[in-house]
């Protein structure tokens, strides 16, 4: 009875106070905010890949990990092949993977269990929300072991199977990815391809694909022939539905994504943030050079996207091609600080200025947005970018940082400080496990709008205000 009374006392309504950094209302106890870790999953999720070698499992694992981290879900990939390489050090041949190689089977089983132990540590101790277990997992017995492990630890399991029978796709994957593997560092191309094809044969005899009847109780998506068809079964929660939606949008068609900011604007010259001003004379010159650059690239079926703000539309108008306006691509909303200079913000809102330097990603302008908000706003843009082929996005500094962070796998801490100068085009070419970046300056001078990460501590005048206890209870505009 005493326990129930204590629970009732603890769960009674508490006072609310506004967190000055993120501008959100939070419960307050004894004058201090009761901090709780925000979780986008109702329980930790273990994503498990399934499929023969050279079916794009690691490609899917890395992309999925990058996407989930970008939208704010702490995710980590666990590649069992890497555990095997660390254990063996030297790979000899496909013989290691033969189904009758008892020593090989033992080592592979030990590596899988070592990876699962690390998964447990990450999800149960380190605060991770999603783990991606990247391995072949081709037998129903192995998948059963993983399901049992997940049940014992309170994790949900979602399987991602990649099935491909197209010999051209398989051969392309082997050449693009597997030949650069540490396993074949001392082999010539022909020897490596021959050995890897024999490695695939070692798995084929025991491969048991996910079955609509036998595995009807499992949650999974089966991706066939690199996205030509899909089979989805028992999607149980929000995070699984987002995973499915994302995986149904990605493709492997070679393409390039061009990112650039609008031409220099009148407010850029004045050192004022935000607003909706038009282009300066130099900005108009950049737009003309951008047109020539795009023509010289001779890009097949290029699409052009802009925001709905004047300076990006003016830039696109000079290109002489159709373009599509996205409200989602509008610049970050600086709220009460719109069209102010940083020096004015520091003078009129010193606490706001210091708070933003303290955590630029999560800081939300009063009546405005944070970079964290911007990432959520841009998720539909990323989904559509994944579906598209060649595309030019004419956008803004904060927006371009968010898009670039997704493609380059940058952390939330790095994102707000990525350099995206005016009058420069970034050409992104997605590769197997990453993205190649080329920076092209179009030769038109402009102001520098980049503000480096502060190297010094918080000024002493605001130090007390920003102490752990005080900052949670300050009214952000009482400065």
């Amino acid at each position: 009875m005493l326990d129930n009374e204590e629970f009732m006392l603890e769960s009674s309504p508490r006072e609310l106070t506004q967190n000055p950094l993120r501008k959100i209302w939070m419960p307050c106890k004894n004058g201090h905010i009761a901090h709780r870790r925000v979780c986008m999953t109702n329980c930790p999720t273990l994503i498990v890949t399934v499929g023969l070698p050279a079916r794009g499992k690691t490609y899917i694992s890395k992309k999925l990990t990058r996407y989930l981290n970008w939208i704010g879900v702490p995710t980590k990939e666990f590649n069992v092949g890497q555990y095997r390489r660390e254990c063996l050090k030297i790979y000899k041949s496909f013989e290691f993977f033969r189904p009758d190689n008892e020593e090989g089977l033992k080592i592979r089983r030990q590596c899988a269990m070592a990876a699962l132990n690390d998964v447990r540590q990450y999800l149960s101790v380190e605060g991770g929300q999603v783990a991606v277990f990247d391995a072949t997992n081709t037998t129903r017995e192995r998948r059963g072991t993983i399901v049992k492990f997940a049940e014992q630890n309170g994790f949900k399991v979602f399987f991602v199977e990649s099935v491909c029978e197209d010999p051209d796709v398989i051969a392309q994957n082997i050449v693009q990815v597997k030949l650069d593997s540490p396993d074949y560092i001392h082999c010539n191309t022909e020897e490596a391809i021959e050995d890897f094809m024999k490695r695939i044969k070692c798995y084929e005899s025991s491969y048991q694909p996910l079955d609509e009847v036998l595995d009807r109780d499992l949650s999974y998506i089966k991706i066939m022939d690199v996205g030509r068809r899909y089979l989805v079964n028992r999607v149980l929660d929000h995070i699984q539905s987002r995973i499915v939606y994302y995986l149904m949008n990605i493709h492997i068609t070679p393409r390039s994504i061009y990112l650039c900011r609008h031409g220099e604007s009148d407010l850029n010259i004045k050192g004022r943030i935000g607003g909706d001003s038009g282009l300066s004379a130099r900005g108009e010159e950049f737009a003309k050079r951008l047109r020539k650059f795009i023509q010289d690239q001779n890009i097949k079926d290029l699409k052009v996207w802009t925001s709905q703000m004047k300076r990006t539309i003016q830039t696109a108008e000079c290109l002489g091609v159709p373009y599509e306006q996205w409200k989602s691509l509008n610049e970050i909303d600086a709220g009460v600080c719109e069209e102010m200079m940083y020096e004015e913000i520091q003078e009129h809102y010193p606490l706001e200025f210091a708070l933003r330097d303290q955590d630029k990603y999560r800081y939300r302008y009063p009546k405005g947005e944070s970079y964290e908000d911007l990432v959520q706003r841009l998720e539909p843009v990323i989904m559509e970018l994944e579906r598209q082929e060649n595309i030019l996005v004419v956008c803004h500094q904060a927006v371009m940082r968010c898009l670039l962070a997704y493609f380059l796998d940058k952390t939330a801490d790095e994102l707000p400080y990525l350099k995206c100068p005016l009058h420069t085009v970034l050409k992104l070419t997605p590769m197997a496990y990453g993205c190649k970046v080329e920076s092209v300056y179009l030769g038109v001078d402009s102001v520098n709008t980049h503000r480096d990460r502060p190297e010094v501590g918080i000024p002493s005048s605001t130090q007390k205000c920003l102490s752990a206890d005080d900052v949670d209870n300050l009214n952000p505009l009482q400065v």
Side-chain angles (χ1 to χ4, degrees):
M1 193 61 189
L2 182 61
D3 290 341
N4 289 337
E5 287 176 0
E6 288 176 350
F7 175 77
M8 289 299 290
L9 286 171
E10 187 65 24
S11 61
S12 60
R14 292 168 290 179
E15 293 293 324
L16 298 181
T17 190
Q18 192 181 53
N19 177 295
L21 183 75
R22 304 172 78 173
K23 314 296 187 289
I24 57 177
W25 291 96
M26 301 182 72
C28 180
K29 186 177 180 181
N30 297 327
H32 305 298
I33 287 178
H35 291 283
R36 290 181 180 175
R37 186 169 66 90
V38 177
C39 185
M40 293 181 69
T41 57
N42 52 13
C43 78
T45 297
L46 175 57
I47 299 171
V48 181
T49 63
V50 178
L52 294 170
R55 263 59 177 183
K57 297 182 301 300
T58 298
Y59 169 79
I60 290 170
S61 298
K62 288 184 179 296
K63 282 198 71 111
L64 198 49
T65 299
R66 175 160 55 88
Y67 162 70
L68 291 172
N69 277 316
W70 185 77
I71 64 171
V73 181
T75 304
K76 187 174 180 180
E77 176 200 10
F78 297 83
N79 181 284
V80 177
Q82 191 58 38
Y83 284 77
R84 186 257 305 165
R85 292 183 191 98
E86 290 173 4
C87 177
L88 274 182
K89 303 299 182 188
I90 298 175
Y91 171 79
K92 294 182 179 178
S93 77
F94 75 95
E95 298 280 351
F96 175 80
F97 294 96
R98 288 174 59 98
D100 57 355
N101 184 337
E102 293 296 330
E103 182 64 20
L105 285 170
K106 180 181 176 182
I107 292 173
R108 286 154 59 196
R109 193 175 297 114
Q110 289 172 345
C111 291
M113 293 312 299
L116 286 176
N117 284 333
D118 288 347
V119 164
R120 181 194 292 116
Q121 174 73 14
Y122 177 67
L123 295 179
S124 299
V125 179
E126 297 175 13
Q129 294 178 22
V130 175
V132 183
F133 187 72
D134 178 19
T136 53
N137 301 309
T138 48
T139 66
R140 199 157 278 113
E141 178 188 6
R142 169 61 61 83
R143 297 195 291 269
T145 299
I146 295 170
V147 169
K148 185 177 179 181
F149 162 83
E151 289 173 346
Q152 290 171 344
N153 289 279
F155 307 151
K156 284 186 178 179
V157 180
F158 188 78
F159 290 96
V160 177
E161 182 175 28
S162 180
V163 179
C164 183
E165 303 300 333
D166 187 331
D168 291 337
V169 173
I170 295 169
Q172 185 183 33
N173 192 22
I174 292 173
V175 171
Q176 285 185 348
V177 178
K178 302 305 178 183
L179 297 187
D180 291 331
S181 164
D183 291 345
Y184 297 111
I185 197 167
H186 298 300
C187 295
N188 63 44
T189 299
E190 292 74 19
E191 291 172 341
I193 292 174
E194 181 182 2
D195 183 86
F196 198 85
M197 294 301 293
K198 289 179 179 177
R199 188 195 296 196
I200 294 174
K201 290 289 183 186
C202 292
Y203 282 93
E204 287 179 341
S205 60
S206 59
Y207 180 27
Q208 297 171 304
L210 289 166
D211 185 271
E212 288 185 66
V213 177
L214 297 176
D215 299 307
R216 60 184 176 274
D217 294 330
L218 298 179
S219 298
Y220 65 82
I221 179 173
K222 186 190 286 269
I223 305 169
M224 289 161 274
D225 289 326
V226 208
R228 289 197 181 97
R229 289 191 300 131
Y230 303 90
L231 175 64
V232 180
N233 190 68
R234 278 181 60 95
V235 174
L236 297 180
D237 60 20
H238 172 67
I239 199 69
Q240 291 182 9
S241 68
R242 289 179 85 156
I243 291 167
V244 166
Y245 183 52
Y246 178 74
L247 292 177
M248 291 179 72
N249 279 282
I250 63 177
H251 66 82
I252 60 169
T253 305
R255 43 85 176 256
S256 291
I257 298 164
Y258 297 83
L259 300 178
C260 74
R261 293 170 62 186
H262 52 81
E264 179 188 71
S265 72
D266 293 330
L267 285 177
N268 286 150
I269 292 176
K270 296 173 182 176
R272 298 187 177 277
I273 66 172
D276 195 18
S277 66
L279 297 181
S280 68
R282 293 188 302 195
E284 291 173 354
E285 178 60 27
F286 163 75
K288 294 174 185 174
R289 302 243 184 136
L290 180 61
R291 174 175 181 155
K292 185 178 187 308
F293 170 78
I294 293 299
Q295 289 174 341
D296 291 346
Q297 291 287 298
N298 193 25
I299 307 162
K300 181 183 177 183
D301 299 325
L302 178 71
K303 290 187 177 181
V304 178
W305 293 352
T306 74
S307 73
Q308 290 186 352
M309 307 194 89
K310 185 177 181 181
R311 52 197 184 273
T312 63
I313 297 170
Q314 279 185 312
T315 304
E317 273 292 318
C318 288
L319 301 180
V321 298
Y323 57 89
E324 184 178 343
Q325 296 178 22
W326 284 65
K327 188 175 182 180
S328 299
L329 287 171
N330 284 4
E331 180 59 305
I332 190 170
D333 184 352
V336 301
C337 299
E338 280 283 314
E339 298 193 22
M340 293 179 71
M341 299 172 68
Y342 283 119
E343 293 82 2
E344 293 172 341
I345 298 173
Q346 189 171 21
E347 178 184 350
H348 292 94
Y349 304 121
L351 176 56
E352 292 297 328
F353 190 84
L355 281 168
R356 191 162 191 263
D357 281 349
Q358 187 187 44
D359 188 346
K360 191 174 178 182
Y361 180 78
R362 292 171 185 83
Y363 169 81
R364 179 180 286 144
Y365 283 105
K367 300 183 181 179
E369 291 180 300
S370 65
Y371 273 93
E372 190 173 36
D373 296 328
L374 191 53
V375 163
Q376 299 303 316
R377 166 150 67 87
L378 288 168
E379 187 181 5
V381 176
I382 286 296
M383 286 293 184
E384 194 58 29
L385 275 174
E386 285 290 1
R387 292 170 56 86
Q388 297 294 331
E389 294 184 14
N390 295 319
I391 192 158
L392 165 66
V393 183
V394 182
C395 54
H396 307 266
Q397 181 167 249
V399 171
M400 190 166 164
R401 282 170 172 161
C402 292
L403 298 178
L404 201 56
Y406 167 78
F407 286 106
L408 301 187
D409 198 16
K410 298 297 183 180
T411 66
D413 187 52
E414 295 170 306
L415 183 155
Y417 297 100
L418 294 176
K419 291 187 176 180
C420 300
L422 287 164
H423 301 173
T424 300
V425 179
L426 295 185
K427 179 182 178 182
L428 309 182
T429 306
M431 312 292 281
Y433 293 161
C435 197
K436 177 185 175 184
V437 184
E438 299 171 70
S439 178
V440 184
Y441 172 57
L442 297 192
V444 180
D445 288 341
S446 66
V447 295
N448 178 14
T449 61
H450 183 83
R451 188 166 172 266
D452 288 327
R453 185 193 300 269
E455 295 181 0
V456 295
I458 304 232
S460 58
S461 59
T462 54
Q463 192 74 51
K464 181 179 183 300
C465 295
L466 296 175
S467 67
D469 288 336
D470 292 339
V471 77
D472 291 335
N473 302 294
L474 285 168
N475 181 334
L477 292 181
Q478 288 179 348
V479 293

